Amino acid sequence: MLVIGLDVGTTGTKAIVVDEKGTVLSSGYQGYALISREGCVTQNAEDWWDAAVRAIRIALQSVKTSDVRAIGISTQGASMLVARSDGTPLSPVITWMDTRAKKEAAVLSDTIGQEAVYHKCGWLPNPSLDAAKILWMQKHDPTIFAAADTFISTLEYINLKLTGNNCIDPTNAAIRQLFNMESGTWDTEILSLLGIFAERLPKVLPVGSIVGTLTKEAAAALGLSTEVTVYNGAHDQYCASIGSGAADTGDMLLATGTTWVVLGITDRLLYTDNHICPGIHPVQGKYGAMASLVSAGSALNWYKDIVNADFLTIDKEAATRTLDAKDLFVLPYVLGAGFPHNRTDLRGAMFGLDAGHDRYHIARAVMEGVAFEASIVLEQFAAQGMRIGKLMMTGGAARSDVWSEIVGYVTGCEIYRPSEPETCCLGAAMIAFVGMGIYDDFNACRNAMVKSRKLELSDSGMYDFYHEKGTRYRALIQKLL
């Protein structure tokens, strides 16, 4: 029995075919474009579907298609499409990176209140989220606003294309800033401000619910049977937490992409003064608490490009420059300072540079700066009473031994790295396996399917080294602020 785990991301779609033991038998990938102009960042929804078809067909080339029984889905969040009832687009997708709706986000704050919005959906008013974008469309494109049968995001569009049914899950609904997590329904106060009714939004179903079976058109496009069942998926970071094995209270996911995301598992919705983002976790009775570092992987990507280096060389050389870089610091805010500083206007700085430093000393200091920022985030979680246990590290930095070790020494956490790097896809597949009843719950599924390796940190002196350097780093932040 095989399942497809599909991850429809920001710049591409990945698909894996996996069995009930967690063995990934094959995979496929197809990328697509972002269209950027003056704060507007859009996509074509048709590209999502074309990439899903292509990725799945590539993955199916080396397996028996009749053994595929189900599809689970992971998606980017808060990329909004205005559509007909069947999902036909009426305009380009306004992605989660789009910031055109700044004035509308301010209206949301002024009318309903920042704290009120935060306690409804877990997110502060934000131009990148769908509430502000719908209000923008009402004001700036009233013809399209009036013609829209439905306002949907990535998960609903893929569900519609696969099954004809317009469904979303609570993790994606909340990040759209339209959903009230306490009531479990679309929020009437926010919708009233936007001038829409719940009938123009998708149905909210729990993660793992049956969305439907493949339509004849979808089955033909994918080369699969119409008996294949589609299970309601989740936001990609929540899928990554499942796929990395973060399912118990105190487990922490550190997803290290362009933006680094910390997602902790809690026993309650965690509302905080510094606005950690709470959410309803797919694991029954559990909740998520999320915070983001926007200047993280993006900082090393920026540096790699300007010095014309590659990641493998950076890793190799940075590993030998620990002590020589002990007085070199990089505050890596190339895109502003994320949580808990929340200063989009702040920019980075370098301290302690001398003629004895080369490009790889600086690269190591960039890695350390990002690790220090991750440690500050974890301290904020701990201050809320969260018991921080394992740190499940996924993404690009998890493939770097030197960066993973720096994170381990700086945070003092046990670092686990999943054997399967595509944790979003694996989490989506696990949602389908639990939905099918192959496993009773996510804990049983995790124990059977998720394999990870603990990072061995053998140099005990490095903990003291980074404690002292981290103290100096924090002092520099205060000077910059």
Side-chain angles (χ1 to χ4, degrees):
M1 181 181 298
L2 304 179
V3 160
I4 293 171
L6 185 70
D7 176 38
V8 186
T10 303
T11 58
T13 292
K14 302 168 188 171
I16 63 171
V17 179
V18 59
D19 66 19
E20 63 266 31
K21 296 180 181 179
T23 303
V24 176
L25 304 176
S26 60
S27 64
Y29 174 80
Q30 179 67 43
Y32 34 76
L34 289 165
I35 304 161
S36 301
R37 181 178 56 85
E38 299 177 353
C40 299
V41 186
T42 62
Q43 284 181 320
N44 294 317
E46 294 93 339
D47 291 345
W48 292 343
W49 174 243
D50 292 343
V53 171
R54 177 63 177 159
I56 289 173
R57 279 199 166 271
I58 292 171
L60 291 175
Q61 288 177 358
S62 54
V63 300
K64 189 177 179 181
T65 57
S66 60
D67 290 338
V68 175
R69 304 295 177 82
I71 300 174
I73 306 165
S74 159
T75 65
Q76 59 172 309
S79 287
M80 188 188 77
L81 175 65
V82 181
R84 295 293 187 193
S85 58
D86 63 356
T88 301
L90 293 176
S91 68
V93 173
I94 305 177
T95 74
W96 62 269
M97 292 173 288
D98 193 291
T99 58
R100 73 182 72 180
K102 291 178 181 178
K103 291 181 179 179
E104 288 71 25
V107 169
L108 196 63
S109 295
D110 294 342
T111 305
I112 297 177
Q114 285 196 0
E115 292 300 320
V117 172
Y118 171 65
H119 280 80
K120 289 173 183 289
C121 65
W123 298 82
L124 288 173
N126 190 313
S128 297
L129 306 184
D130 288 1
K133 291 185 289 194
I134 292 174
L135 192 58
W136 181 94
M137 181 154 285
Q138 181 198 52
K139 293 179 179 180
H140 295 276
D141 203 343
T143 302
I144 295 296
F145 175 84
D149 294 323
T150 187
F151 299 89
I152 57 178
S153 62
T154 315
L155 179 63
E156 304 96 279
Y157 178 76
I158 297 299
N159 280 338
L160 274 163
K161 295 295 288 186
L162 291 171
T163 70
N165 295 322
N166 189 7
C167 303
I168 194 173
D169 82 292
T171 64
N172 277 295
I175 199 172
R176 299 192 68 192
Q177 205 150 60
L178 307 171
F179 183 71
N180 189 308
M181 291 189 294
E182 297 287 356
S183 67
T185 61
W186 298 114
D187 189 85
T188 54
E189 185 179 16
I190 293 177
L191 266 56
S192 177
L193 176 63
L194 306 185
I196 63 173
F197 295 100
E199 288 76 17
R200 298 176 83 183
L201 295 172
K203 185 176 182 180
V204 183
L205 296 178
V207 174
S209 300
I210 293 177
V211 176
T213 55
L214 294 181
T215 65
K216 291 181 180 179
E217 295 78 10
L222 298 174
L224 290 169
S225 165
T226 55
E227 296 180 359
V228 170
T229 304
V230 177
Y231 289 87
N232 204 29
H235 182 262
D236 51 14
Q237 297 301 341
Y238 281 89
C239 285
S241 73
I242 297 169
S244 67
D248 293 327
T249 301
D251 285 349
M252 305 289 292
L253 169 71
L254 177 60
T256 64
T258 302
T259 293
W260 283 22
V261 175
V262 177
L263 193 155
I265 312 302
T266 66
D267 289 325
R268 59 186 174 88
L269 287 171
L270 185 67
Y271 299 100
T272 66
D273 292 340
N274 55 12
H275 303 115
I276 291 172
C277 298
I280 301 170
H281 200 277
V283 175
Q284 189 172 6
K286 301 295 181 184
Y287 300 87
M290 186 158 52
S292 299
L293 303 174
V294 293
S295 296
S298 56
L300 193 63
N301 284 335
W302 161 81
Y303 183 71
K304 172 187 72 70
D305 290 342
I306 65 171
V307 300
N308 194 28
D310 62 83
F311 288 126
L312 289 177
T313 304
I314 286 175
D315 262 17
K316 178 182 176 182
E317 297 296 333
T320 67
R321 284 162 169 76
T322 308
L323 298 179
D324 291 342
K326 67 182 179 65
D327 296 319
L328 180 61
F329 295 85
V330 173
L331 278 59
Y333 309 137
V334 297
L335 296 175
F339 182 87
H341 318 298
N342 297 323
R343 287 279 301 276
T344 57
D345 63 313
L346 202 63
R347 289 300 177 264
M350 188 184 303
F351 298 88
L353 181 67
D354 65 39
H357 292 136
D358 63 18
R359 66 178 63 186
Y360 301 113
H361 290 102
I362 298 172
R364 184 176 183 99
V366 172
M367 292 178 177
E368 291 173 343
V370 175
F372 289 136
E373 292 293 326
S375 179
I376 291 168
V377 172
L378 291 173
E379 288 168 5
Q380 295 291 319
F381 276 69
Q384 302 299 326
M386 289 187 63
R387 174 184 58 82
I388 299 176
K390 301 174 182 177
L391 188 61
M392 316 299 189
M393 191 168 171
T394 68
R399 293 190 283 271
S400 163
D401 286 342
V402 63
W403 211 349
S404 298
E405 289 170 0
I406 290 170
V407 170
Y409 287 125
V410 166
T411 64
C413 292
E414 290 185 349
I415 305 294
Y416 288 82
R417 297 183 291 181
S419 301
E420 172 50 50
E422 301 300 344
T423 51
C424 294
C425 288
L426 184 60
M430 292 167 68
I431 287 170
F433 277 120
V434 173
M436 295 166 70
I438 302 301
Y439 294 100
D440 292 336
D441 54 36
F442 283 109
N443 279 322
C445 189
R446 174 192 61 180
N447 293 338
M449 294 183 64
V450 178
K451 303 169 183 65
S452 60
R453 306 176 303 281
K454 181 181 177 181
L455 181 65
E456 298 298 331
L457 301 174
S458 57
D459 189 346
S460 59
M462 291 303 295
Y463 290 104
D464 291 335
F465 174 87
Y466 276 117
H467 176 75
E468 188 273 338
K469 189 167 186 177
T471 300
R472 289 191 285 155
Y473 181 90
R474 285 164 173 77
L476 291 171
I477 291 176
Q478 294 307 312
K479 290 181 180 179
L480 189 64
L481 292 173

